[in-house]
Amino acid sequence: VSGEPELRLLLGLLAEAAAAVPAPALFWVGLKRNPSTCTHQGQPLRGFSWEGAGGGTAAQEVPAALGRWAKEPRLSCLTARCAGLHLAVAVGGPSWGWKE
C-alpha cells in the first residue's frame, strides 16, 4: 500500500470478498517496525514502514489519511513489530484501521 488510491482499491476488493472473509479480519500487507525504531505517535504510521525488496524496509512519507489506527501500537523501541490492516463490518460499509 503506497498511498491512498492503492488503499482504497484494496479496501474495495476486500469489501467485494466480504462474504468469504470472516469479520473482523487482520491482513498483513508489509507494515513493519524494526527493533531500532521507536513508536512515534505523531506520524501516520507510528514509526512503521513498508517491507521492501531485499528484506529491508522502505521508508516513505504517507498521507495523514493512511494514519487510521484501529488500536494504537504499543510504545516501544525494543522489538520488531508488524501491523496489519484490520477490517470490520460497520453500518454503512466496512470499517478499517491499522492494528499491531
Side-chain angles (χ1 to χ4, degrees):
V1 181
S2 63
E4 197 168 353
E6 281 187 16
L7 179 61
R8 298 233 178 267
L9 176 64
L10 179 60
L11 291 170
L13 292 171
L14 291 172
E16 289 177 13
V21 176
L26 186 64
F27 300 94
W28 187 65
V29 292
L31 203 51
K32 180 181 177 184
R33 194 191 73 229
N34 290 322
S36 60
T37 305
C38 295
T39 306
H40 295 285
Q41 291 184 321
Q43 297 175 351
L45 294 180
R46 309 299 192 260
F48 286 78
S49 57
W50 303 110
E51 186 74 11
T57 54
Q60 67 183 54
E61 295 288 325
V62 297
L66 293 184
R68 183 187 300 178
W69 285 80
K71 182 179 179 185
E72 286 292 328
R74 287 184 271 172
L75 297 176
S76 172
C77 302
L78 302 176
T79 59
R81 303 295 298 174
C82 293
L85 178 63
H86 181 260
L87 187 65
V89 177
V91 176
S95 170
W96 69 274
W98 304 115
K99 189 173 182 181
E100 193 175 36

